[in-house]
Amino acid sequence: MNLSLLDPFQNDFPEVIEEYLEQGNAKCVSFNRRGTLLAVGCADGTCVIWDFDTRGVAKEFRDPSSSASVTNVSWSKNGRYLLVAATDRSLALWDVASSTKVHAMTLQQTAFLVRVHPANPSLCLACPMSNAPILVDFDSNTSHALTVFAHKAIENGNVARSKASNGTPQFFPSVACFNKRGDLIFVGNSKGEVLITGTMSREVQAIVVIPGGAVVRHLSLSRSGQYLLIISNDRIIRLYEVLLPIDGASQAVSAMSDGQSHDSMSAEDLKQRGSKCFQYFKEFQDRVNRAQWRAACFSGDGEYVAGASAVKGEHKIHIWNSKTGQLARILEGPKEGLTDLAWHLSRPIVASVSMTAGVVYIWAKDYTENWSAFAPDFEELEENEEYVEREDEFDLMPETEKEKPSRVDEDEEVDIMTADKVAAFSDSDDSDDGLNFLPTVPLPDTPEQQNQVPQSLHVFEDSKAEPCSTPDSDHSNGADEDERTTDSQRKRKRNVLDRPEKASSSQKLAFFTEKSRSDPQVMMTPSPSCEELSPE
């Protein structure tokens, strides 16, 4: 399709299901930083890497010693590594190009969310179901539980939790994600708070209070690092603007202490500092059905926000304008649940995972060509019209034609070495050291198995076999033909009796079939060949 013919006033968000990807029972999806590769985690422990340009499988790898279902996957910034978490509490870092496992670790609980550090692939975050988020360092083979509540101790990797009325410990889910550069970690807890923690110090530097105090279920950072989506248990998706600078965010938070030491700061001081880090911007919700949200994400440019409904039996995706907060579109898919959601990094494409069928649906724009959008004097016709050509319409008139000035400066040097930067990518993402494509290895063609068709059996019932003409006889009558046919049949019968080891299966079958029948005139033999009928 010619991009210049597209209507520039069309909305830049997906509208219809373009196609679906089916390779195993999918559970989670994730795009790499350029959107050229799509990682899909399956229920049998396999990770499938799709080439998103060709929509073909580029790589497929799994741990042969484990068949546990994959819960979440996360790409490294350079696209060379993929972090995979599974239900057997395993956490593995794979080299995508070589399909080899670089690092592996077994956690105390299954991680439902993992994130790779933007700068160091060996450093990652793992969020278990009921424990505090864990900062894992594969190089040193160590893991550290992060603080979930301010001034709460963490004992043996578990958060010190209060007990309910029946004596059982309360369930405290928590989520975490890195900021743009990875020097800070945003941790959401069950009290409706987001703790800003230093990555190296692992100390809480600020606290952001979420209105309503509902449990924080999901955190999603925009590609630019300036906005943060927070999904709470009160069925509201909140959008916050990150006021911290992209570079040196940790130092900027520490500079807000006004000379006060970190140990002497109270929870109120941390909350006051947090109000200077985040600013409440918008909120999104389903005001009609009051649906709960399973996942949320930004578009590549941050103009739109997508939320996946958590209602079983509904495959709905709500899309809002992040600036105005207005609902732009509701995408309705098949009558099945939705488990995961991912927006393409540079195109208006959304990948959603079906809960029942395990299929990845690809949502895209419904493009329509508008020829008049770029040609003001172009007139669209509802139906064909007959055009009458003028007599001198295409005649050459050199004296009246004017030479058009050339718009190209022939003396200007053209730079063919410098590559233009892509507007959709930030400066930090516009580097060439990453793995954006995978070489495709064609599979060898398997030879087709040719079925051996047995030699056909001819049944001669009250019929005469037509013999081949011999060089000794130029012409013969009907009686001679019958006599030669009978002689040849008797000759073949004697050959079977005299040399049974050299007789073919069809000849044996014909012989025993003839013997078992009462009518001696009926035989079941192959058609006699010319060599057998010709005189020796």
Side-chain angles (χ1 to χ4, degrees):
M1 179 181 293
N2 194 346
L3 295 179
S4 61
L5 300 180
L6 300 181
D7 190 354
F9 302 104
Q10 286 184 346
N11 295 319
D12 203 17
F13 53 79
E15 298 172 341
V16 295
I17 295 179
E18 185 180 50
E19 62 177 324
Y20 63 91
L21 307 178
E22 187 174 10
Q23 183 77 8
N25 190 359
K27 294 296 181 181
C28 53
V29 291
S30 179
F31 282 104
N32 65 341
R33 65 170 185 169
R34 290 296 179 91
T36 55
L37 300 176
L38 177 66
V40 179
C42 301
D44 59 350
T46 305
C47 287
V48 182
I49 309 298
W50 291 83
D51 189 329
F52 205 72
D53 292 336
T54 62
R55 307 294 167 90
V57 178
K59 188 78 67 173
E60 186 174 351
F61 52 84
R62 59 170 297 180
D63 189 356
S65 62
S66 175
S67 60
S69 176
V70 177
T71 58
N72 199 238
V73 292
S74 178
W75 288 90
S76 63
K77 185 178 180 181
N78 56 12
R80 299 184 180 275
Y81 302 97
L82 185 69
L83 184 64
V84 181
T87 54
D88 59 352
R89 302 178 300 171
S90 64
L91 188 66
L93 186 67
W94 290 81
D95 189 316
V96 178
S98 61
S99 300
T100 57
K101 187 185 295 186
V102 181
H103 299 287
M105 181 178 292
T106 302
L107 305 176
Q108 295 181 358
Q109 287 188 0
T110 300
F112 70 95
L113 181 67
V114 291
R115 291 291 182 268
V116 181
H117 192 274
N120 184 11
S122 299
L123 199 63
C124 64
L125 282 172
C127 302
M129 293 297 296
S130 59
N131 279 1
I134 301 173
L135 182 62
V136 179
D137 189 354
F138 286 114
D139 290 337
S140 60
N141 198 21
T142 58
S143 60
H144 304 277
L146 301 176
T147 302
V148 179
F149 301 102
H151 307 290
K152 290 271 187 177
I154 298 179
E155 301 174 359
N156 299 328
N158 297 328
V159 181
R161 297 172 290 183
S162 60
K163 293 185 178 182
S165 57
N166 56 0
T168 59
Q170 293 182 357
F171 179 75
F172 288 116
S174 55
V175 292
C177 70
F178 290 104
N179 67 336
K180 177 69 174 178
R181 294 289 184 260
D183 54 349
L184 291 177
I185 301 175
F186 304 143
V187 182
N189 59 20
S190 60
K191 288 188 174 182
E193 299 173 343
V194 175
L195 280 63
I196 301 177
T197 306
T199 303
M200 302 306 298
S201 63
R202 300 190 300 276
E203 294 181 351
V204 180
Q205 300 184 6
I207 299 176
V208 180
V209 180
I210 307 300
V215 177
V216 178
R217 300 180 54 189
H218 185 80
L219 296 176
S220 179
L221 190 68
S222 66
R223 186 181 182 88
S224 61
Q226 298 178 354
Y227 295 96
L228 180 68
L229 277 180
I230 301 175
I231 298 181
S232 302
N233 243 7
D234 56 358
R235 308 172 191 268
I236 298 177
I237 303 176
R238 293 178 173 86
L239 176 62
Y240 279 83
E241 183 181 1
V242 181
L243 303 178
L244 299 174
I246 299 299
D247 297 321
S250 179
Q251 291 80 2
V253 176
S254 302
M256 299 178 184
S257 59
D258 297 332
Q260 188 177 4
S261 63
H262 182 271
D263 297 334
S264 62
M265 297 185 66
S266 62
E268 296 299 329
D269 296 333
L270 295 176
K271 293 179 182 179
Q272 185 177 2
R273 181 188 289 185
S275 62
K276 302 178 183 178
C277 300
F278 285 3
Q279 181 179 358
Y280 183 76
F281 193 72
K282 293 289 181 181
E283 69 177 27
F284 315 100
Q285 60 179 321
D286 187 358
R287 300 183 182 276
V288 178
N289 300 321
R290 296 289 298 173
Q292 190 65 265
W293 306 106
R294 186 175 299 276
C297 62
F298 286 95
S299 61
D301 53 3
E303 292 292 331
Y304 295 96
V305 172
S309 174
V311 179
K312 293 183 179 180
E314 290 185 359
H315 199 99
K316 286 186 177 181
I317 303 174
H318 291 65
I319 299 179
W320 297 275
N321 190 308
S322 61
K323 306 301 180 183
T324 62
Q326 295 181 354
L327 180 64
R329 181 63 63 91
I330 299 179
L331 307 179
E332 295 187 11
K335 298 296 182 181
E336 52 188 355
L338 192 153
T339 60
D340 200 6
L341 185 72
W343 197 305
H344 195 274
L345 276 301
S346 59
R347 298 163 60 187
I349 294 178
V350 171
S352 62
V353 181
S354 168
M355 181 181 298
T356 307
V359 178
V360 180
Y361 293 104
I362 305 299
W363 300 79
K365 287 179 60 176
D366 187 12
Y367 290 100
T368 57
E369 296 181 356
N370 188 359
W371 293 75
S372 62
F374 293 90
D377 56 345
F378 188 86
E379 181 181 357
E380 295 184 3
L381 302 177
E382 298 295 335
E383 57 184 8
N384 294 335
E385 296 181 2
E386 184 178 358
Y387 179 74
V388 179
E389 178 184 344
R390 299 194 313 269
E391 184 178 357
D392 58 345
E393 183 174 1
F394 297 101
D395 294 345
L396 296 178
M397 293 179 292
E399 63 278 3
T400 59
E401 291 183 354
K402 297 182 180 180
E403 296 182 1
K404 297 182 179 180
S406 177
R407 297 182 180 180
V408 180
D409 188 1
E410 298 179 356
D411 297 334
E412 183 181 0
E413 296 182 359
V414 180
D415 186 8
I416 62 174
M417 302 300 296
T418 304
D420 295 335
K421 294 184 178 181
V422 182
F425 304 136
S426 59
D427 295 337
S428 61
D429 295 338
D430 197 8
S431 57
D432 298 332
D433 59 345
L435 178 65
N436 299 326
F437 301 96
L438 288 174
T440 302
V441 180
L443 297 176
D445 296 335
T446 57
E448 298 180 358
Q449 297 181 357
Q450 299 181 355
N451 298 329
Q452 296 181 358
V453 180
Q455 186 178 3
S456 60
L457 299 178
H458 300 273
V459 179
F460 299 93
E461 226 174 317
D462 298 332
S463 61
K464 310 294 183 179
E466 183 179 359
C468 297
S469 61
T470 59
D472 296 339
S473 61
D474 297 332
H475 62 276
S476 60
N477 54 18
D480 296 336
E481 292 177 359
D482 296 340
E483 185 178 358
R484 283 197 298 268
T485 303
T486 305
D487 294 338
S488 64
Q489 292 174 351
R490 291 174 181 174
K491 183 178 179 180
R492 293 176 61 84
K493 179 178 179 181
R494 288 194 300 269
N495 292 338
V496 173
L497 293 175
D498 297 340
R499 294 177 295 177
E501 67 280 357
K502 295 184 179 181
S504 63
S505 59
S506 60
Q507 292 174 343
K508 295 179 181 178
L509 178 61
F511 171 74
F512 291 111
T513 303
E514 178 193 6
K515 186 178 180 181
S516 61
R517 293 185 176 182
S518 59
D519 189 2
Q521 297 297 329
V522 178
M523 297 184 62
M524 183 180 294
T525 61
S527 302
S529 61
C530 295
E531 289 78 1
E532 293 177 348
L533 296 180
S534 61
E536 298 179 357

